[in-house]
Structure formats: structure tokens, C-alpha cells
Amino acid sequence: MSLEETKASLLAASETADGFLAQIHDLYIQEIRAEEKTLKEALSELHNSGEIDLVAIISGVDKSSNGHDFFTILHAFENALPFLDAGVEDVLRCLLHLTQQAGRNLAIGGVYGAFERFCSVEAHRPGDSVGFILAQSELSAFAPFLSCSILAYGSDSVTDAIQTTESIIANSNEVVRSQAYFTLGRLKVDETQANVIWELLSSSASGERESGCCASILRATINFGDAFPSYWSQIEDFLLTFVEGTPPEVLYEISHIVAFQRADLPEGVLGLLVKQLANVSPEHKGIIDNVDHILVNLVEKGASPLALKLLESTLNVGVKFPQLDYFSRELLSKHRELLNHIVTKWFLSGDSTLCHGVLDLLHDVTGKDVDLEAEVALLGDEVKQVFVSHKAVGWLFTRPIAVASFILSIYETASKTTRKELEQVLYDPLLLSYPGELKRFFQSYIDKSFQASLCERLLGKLHAYHSDIEKVSGLKELMAPRENINVYWKESNKSMQAAYEDASRGSIIDLIATKQTLLYGNSSIYYVHRGDGEQVRQEMQMQSFSHSTEMPRLNVLDPESLDYVLRVYRCERMKE
């Protein structure tokens, strides 16, 4: 559509505000895939010629009545705003109305950049905007537009921008001060003026007590360092005291900077910021989510020791691996060597929190089980080798493949004495508890000729064990009375039904399907309602599905002894 056609369609719809806004929406959608973009030019020309008052019309937009069209209209206005001939006061009131209508929706963020471009068109607009904002009784509401007003000063007016920013730093309103600090980190200055900016930042920090303002100072300081790398050493010294014992708002800013800041932080600054995150609380979900990304970033940058230090401190304050789901997925799928290092190190420490962390990490692994390999370099003597093997069995007993692969990797380099102990652990309680799953696992090792003699011995012992059980299985003296068996299964079915009902409560299945109980038969009947009102009878055959898992046999045959052994393995500590 040509420019004249666009203007004509807009004028035709301008008799009512609703019709005009609907036309803007339609034209904006049409232009998305069109090569010729004429809407912003048409809107600005119609406004500047006085045929419409675009600012006044947009000031009357009501999100509740415009629905999803609101943000389309908003984006169209953002595009046209820099070209409008309008008063700063009217534009600010309009933008405040739009931000209040949008609420916390992130799509509103574009209005600030549009307003900055609007102010930069004429030299008087930045100063007029700052003066108008500071004169308002609703100062906190208008204050977010201060930074874009000051940043709109031209390159020949940087001194004015710095002086304006310095003057509002003394303001009693914390939102105003926060905007001033944010602006200091964004101003485009030369090396001479950079020293003035640094003096303002460092001097303001000592007297600032509001956490939101401190967070803005931190963000501005990092942006400043990115623009002027020669200041990083001074910034590091400054941060040593500034970030010590910071409130949650500043901790969140630290976590966001380290997780998503594009600046290449020096090693000293990065380490200092990461160190502060050791004080994070599990209740601060936003910070934990950022820490999740930080861990992945650090590992990808080759800073695994720093990542591991942060991970351990995070777990020690009560955060669980399910809260670090991004890092967990990356660790299990891409960083197997680091995973093996973590498992070995944490089992060797004997720390219950870290050992439980290994369990949490592997607990929800689906599909093919994880094969673990111990980092033998950390296991310098026989005592350590046996100790971590016990920990693996105690904490990962329900993941028999992971435990067996971990112990077999130690067995490869172990002494003859240690090998006997490891073989015994593999057999009892592991193989006796999981004869099906581990029998297949050991057979696969025999087929690959890896630790074949050990696996053959273990399977031979298992065969002899089962043969002995078969010999005595028919003895009446060892059989439970039928009444006891009936009572056992009755109670078992009762508890299973109660568990099923408890798990079904609040299930998504209840939201998308209707439950029906079939008293007999193996099919269900339902009716399809056709457009002409006729009902068609349909019959659906029931389909069966099943899921099976191997339960540890020793938990049935000798539950007390098994529980005791696993508790000992989990709780035992290594002598210093």
C-alpha cells in the first residue's frame, strides 16, 4: 500500500477513536510481511499537518477494551513517535498512560527507546523533559523517563548531560537517584570525561543506603568498566567493600550481571561477584534461576573450579538440584567428565548434603541409565577407593547401573585386596537386590570383554545363590501360613489403592478427561454429535498398557539388614 493510500485509509477511519485504532492495528499487521512500510510515515505526516492528534488519541487507549490489539497499537506508536511534532509534556503524559495500562508486561520496554529518539530530534527536548519530570507531584511515576531524556543529549552536549545527572543524584527520591546512576553507566563520554563519571559513581556509593539505588550503581559500574577497561583494577578495589553483605536486591543484580551481562568481566571481578552468591537464600527464586545460568556459563567458559565452588555453596544453603534444572541437564548430557569429577569428589568428602545432591541429580534420569566413572586421580589409596564405593551403594542404591559402572571403574586400577572388597559389595547387596537389571549389565560387559572374569564370577555366584534358594523353596517350614499371605496382599492392595487415589488428586488427567467406571466388558460406548443434530454411536475397545520396574529383592527377603547396611554406607566417615 502506498503512502497516500495509507493516509487515506487512516483519515477515513478517524471519525471515531475506536475505528481509527482498529485501522492502525489492521495496517500494522498487513505491513509485517510487506516490503513497503508506510504506516509510521503516514501517522507522523497526518499528525504534523494537524489532520489528527495522534498523541491525544493514543492517550485515550484502554487496554481492557482493546484487548490483544493494545500492543500492536503501542508498537505502531513507538515507530512513529520520533517523527512527531509534539510537546514533550503531552508525550510524557501519553507514555505514562501507556506504561500504566501495560502493567508489568515486558513489551512496554520499547517506549523508552522511542522517547529517547524523540527527545534527540530537537536540542531543547532533553532539558525540557527533565525539568517537566522533576516538577511533577507524581515524581516516581514519571522518573523512569529521566534516563532516556538525559541520554538523548547530543554528542556536543555531553557536559550538560553529566551536570544534569550530577544534579539529580542529590534528589531525595530513590527512583530519581536510581535513574541517575543508571544514566552514568550509559553516557557516551571520552577518556577525560570518564574520570568525572567514575568519581561520581564511587563517591555516591559511600553514602547510598537504598538497595534499589545500590543495584543501579553496581550495574552502572560494570557498564562503565566494559566501556573503559583501564578502570577494572579500580573497580575491583571498589567492589571489595561495596558488595560485601549486600541485600537481596543487589544480590539479584549481581546474579543477573554474571548470568547475562555481555561484558567480558576480568577474572578477579568475576570471582568477587560469584563469591557473593554463596549467601543466596533458597527462597529467592529469581536469584536461583540466574545462578542456574551462571553455572552453565562458567562451565562453558572453562571455569569449572569456580562453577563447582558456587554449586557447593548453593547446595549447602539448602538449594536442591531440581531448582537447577538447566545446569543439571547440561551436566548430564554434555559434561560427563565434570559429572564424574563431582560425584567422586562429593562421595569422597562424605558430606551428607553433597552426597544427597548426587542422589537428587540422578534421581529423575529417564531412559538409558547413566554410566559413571570414578576419577581415580582423587582416590590415592585403598581406603578412599573402598570408601567412595560404599558411598555410591548407600546413596545411589536405587540406580544400580550407575553404582556398578562407578565401582567397576575403580576395580580396574585397584589392588588385589581392594578388588576382593569391591567384588563383595557388587555382589551383596547390589547384585542380590537387582538380579535382572545387573545380570544384563554384567553380561554386556562380558560380551565386550571388559572385566569379563569379574562379571562371570559374579554371575556364577548369583546362579549358585538361586540354585540354593530353589532347593529349599518347597520346605513347608519356610512357607508362611495362607492366612498371613492373604492378609499381606489385602493390606498391600489397600495401601496401593490409597497411594493411587492420593497421586490422582489434582492430576491433569482430571482436567482433560472424564472418569468412567466399567462394571463389566472390555469396551466403552460414546456418542458423536453431528452438525445436523444426529447422534452416532461409537464403541472403543479398551487398550492395556503397563510399566514395570525391578524392586530390590533384599528389601523383601531381609529388609532390616539391607536398611542397616545402606545407613552405615551413607553415614560412615573416613578417618583423618
Side-chain angles (χ1 to χ4, degrees):
M1 188 180 291
S2 68
L3 175 60
E4 293 304 319
E5 289 174 329
T6 304
K7 289 167 66 175
S9 66
L10 286 169
L11 276 175
S14 62
E15 293 183 7
T16 64
D18 288 342
F20 183 72
L21 293 173
Q23 186 63 24
I24 291 177
H25 171 266
D26 293 340
L27 291 172
Y28 184 88
I29 298 299
Q30 290 173 23
E31 275 197 355
I32 291 176
R33 294 186 179 180
E35 292 184 7
E36 190 177 7
K37 314 287 186 183
T38 58
L39 180 58
K40 68 179 179 183
E41 192 176 350
L43 287 170
S44 60
E45 287 189 9
L46 289 173
H47 174 86
N48 295 340
S49 66
E51 294 177 81
I52 63 169
D53 188 345
L54 183 61
V55 175
I57 294 172
I58 298 298
S59 295
V61 170
D62 185 357
K63 182 186 174 185
S64 60
S65 60
N66 287 96
H68 296 296
D69 298 349
F70 173 79
F71 290 103
T72 307
I73 296 166
L74 172 67
H75 295 322
F77 182 64
E78 288 171 3
N79 293 336
L81 178 59
F83 307 98
L84 299 184
D85 184 9
V88 169
E89 297 88 347
D90 294 334
V91 171
L92 277 169
R93 291 191 185 96
C94 176
L95 294 181
L96 177 62
H97 169 74
L98 291 175
T99 56
Q100 290 172 341
Q101 288 287 307
R104 299 176 65 86
N105 195 302
L106 296 178
I108 194 64
V111 300
Y112 299 104
F115 183 64
E116 182 181 336
R117 294 192 296 275
F118 168 78
C119 288
S120 65
V121 174
E122 295 185 13
H124 66 88
R125 285 179 179 175
D128 292 348
S129 176
V130 173
F132 175 77
I133 292 171
L134 294 177
Q136 299 306 301
S137 58
E138 297 177 273
L139 183 54
S140 296
F142 282 94
F145 294 97
L146 276 171
S147 60
C148 42
S149 302
I150 299 172
L151 292 172
Y153 275 102
S155 56
D156 55 342
S157 304
V158 175
T159 303
D160 292 337
I162 295 174
Q163 290 174 351
T164 302
T165 307
E166 184 177 4
S167 67
I168 63 175
I169 285 177
N171 196 287
S172 59
N173 187 293
E174 62 181 275
V175 183
V176 172
R177 296 200 307 278
S178 180
Q179 285 288 300
Y181 299 137
F182 175 82
T183 305
L184 287 176
R186 297 286 179 178
L187 285 173
K188 291 180 172 59
V189 297
D190 57 28
E191 287 288 345
T192 305
Q193 296 162 326
N195 189 55
V196 178
I197 299 293
W198 174 241
E199 288 297 326
L200 283 173
L201 280 172
S202 55
S203 61
S204 300
S206 59
E208 188 58 71
R209 293 292 176 267
E210 292 293 338
S211 55
C213 293
C214 290
S216 293
I217 291 175
L218 176 63
R219 169 70 67 177
T221 302
I222 298 301
N223 288 335
F224 177 78
D226 187 37
F228 299 96
S230 60
Y231 282 83
W232 276 125
S233 59
Q234 296 179 59
I235 290 173
E236 185 173 349
D237 293 338
F238 163 73
L239 291 177
L240 279 171
T241 54
F242 182 69
V243 299
E244 196 67 37
T246 50
E249 291 85 353
V250 180
L251 277 180
Y252 177 81
E253 193 64 36
I254 290 173
S255 67
H256 192 272
I257 288 171
V258 180
F260 305 110
Q261 180 83 10
R262 294 181 180 179
D264 188 14
L265 299 176
E267 188 176 333
V269 174
L270 178 62
L272 181 61
L273 295 178
V274 169
K275 181 182 176 183
Q276 305 310 310
L277 299 175
N279 303 318
V280 66
S281 168
E283 299 172 0
H284 298 143
K285 188 179 182 303
I287 302 177
I288 299 301
D289 289 342
N290 290 341
V291 168
D292 194 14
H293 282 80
I294 291 170
L295 291 169
V296 174
N297 294 343
L298 290 175
V299 171
E300 289 179 347
K301 289 178 182 177
S304 295
L306 185 58
L308 184 54
K309 194 172 181 181
L310 174 60
L311 176 61
E312 290 176 351
S313 64
T314 304
L315 294 177
N316 280 324
V317 295
V319 177
K320 304 297 182 184
F321 258 113
Q323 296 173 265
L324 306 172
D325 52 340
Y326 178 36
F327 176 69
S328 299
R329 288 195 306 272
E330 293 292 302
L331 183 63
L332 289 167
S333 60
K334 298 180 182 178
H335 305 286
R336 191 55 60 89
E337 188 176 335
L338 177 60
L339 172 64
N340 292 329
H341 172 78
I342 288 174
V343 172
T344 307
K345 182 176 182 290
W346 288 0
F347 281 159
L348 188 59
S349 72
D351 185 290
S352 60
T353 300
L354 298 180
C355 291
H356 205 294
V358 177
L359 173 62
D360 292 338
L361 176 62
L362 300 178
H363 183 266
D364 294 324
V365 174
T366 56
K368 187 178 179 183
D369 214 329
V370 178
D371 284 359
L372 296 176
E373 289 185 24
E375 188 172 326
V376 182
L378 297 178
L379 309 176
D381 55 52
E382 298 177 1
V383 175
K384 291 179 180 178
Q385 292 172 348
V386 174
F387 180 77
V388 296
S389 298
H390 286 176
K391 290 297 178 188
V393 174
W395 286 102
L396 300 179
F397 182 70
T398 56
R399 314 291 308 199
I401 300 299
V403 178
S405 60
F406 184 81
I407 295 176
L408 286 174
S409 67
I410 299 173
Y411 186 91
E412 227 180 324
T413 58
S415 65
K416 189 177 291 187
T417 307
T418 304
R419 285 188 170 193
K420 285 183 179 179
E421 292 193 51
L422 297 182
E423 183 176 339
Q424 181 58 33
V425 171
L426 283 169
Y427 175 66
D428 183 9
L430 219 53
L431 183 56
L432 291 183
S433 294
Y434 300 97
E437 198 171 351
L438 285 181
K439 183 178 180 180
R440 292 188 294 273
F441 176 74
F442 289 140
Q443 187 60 54
S444 69
Y445 269 43
I446 293 171
D447 296 340
K448 292 185 290 187
S449 299
F450 180 76
Q451 300 290 354
S453 58
L454 168 63
C455 295
E456 287 171 350
R457 284 199 305 275
L458 289 171
L459 294 181
K461 285 183 181 180
L462 180 65
H463 179 72
Y465 173 79
H466 285 164
S467 297
D468 290 342
I469 289 180
E470 286 292 330
K471 290 176 184 176
V472 299
S473 61
L475 291 176
K476 291 182 179 180
E477 290 80 0
L478 297 178
M479 295 177 66
R482 184 173 298 279
E483 293 80 4
N484 291 6
I485 294 175
N486 290 337
V487 169
Y488 170 80
W489 283 116
K490 188 176 179 181
E491 287 299 317
S492 177
N493 290 336
K494 237 170 112 180
S495 61
M496 187 64 74
Q497 182 64 27
Y500 170 77
E501 291 173 357
D502 186 52
S504 299
R505 218 170 276 121
S507 170
I508 190 173
I509 303 296
D510 293 339
L511 301 176
I512 63 175
T514 303
K515 285 185 181 179
Q516 290 185 335
T517 303
L518 299 182
L519 300 179
Y520 60 89
N522 60 358
S523 63
S524 63
I525 297 170
Y526 62 97
Y527 290 87
V528 176
H529 298 268
R530 301 175 67 171
D532 57 5
E534 183 184 355
Q535 294 184 3
V536 180
R537 183 179 184 275
Q538 299 284 343
E539 184 174 350
M540 183 175 66
Q541 293 293 321
M542 304 295 288
Q543 304 292 324
S544 65
F545 69 94
S546 64
H547 172 74
S548 63
T549 184
E550 187 173 14
M551 304 299 291
R553 291 195 179 185
L554 286 182
N555 198 44
V556 177
L557 298 175
D558 192 3
E560 298 298 331
S561 297
L562 175 64
D563 181 65
Y564 175 77
V565 168
L566 295 181
R567 286 177 184 273
V568 169
Y569 285 171
R570 286 196 294 266
C571 298
E572 67 182 350
R573 302 302 293 261
M574 194 162 49
K575 292 181 180 179
E576 297 293 338

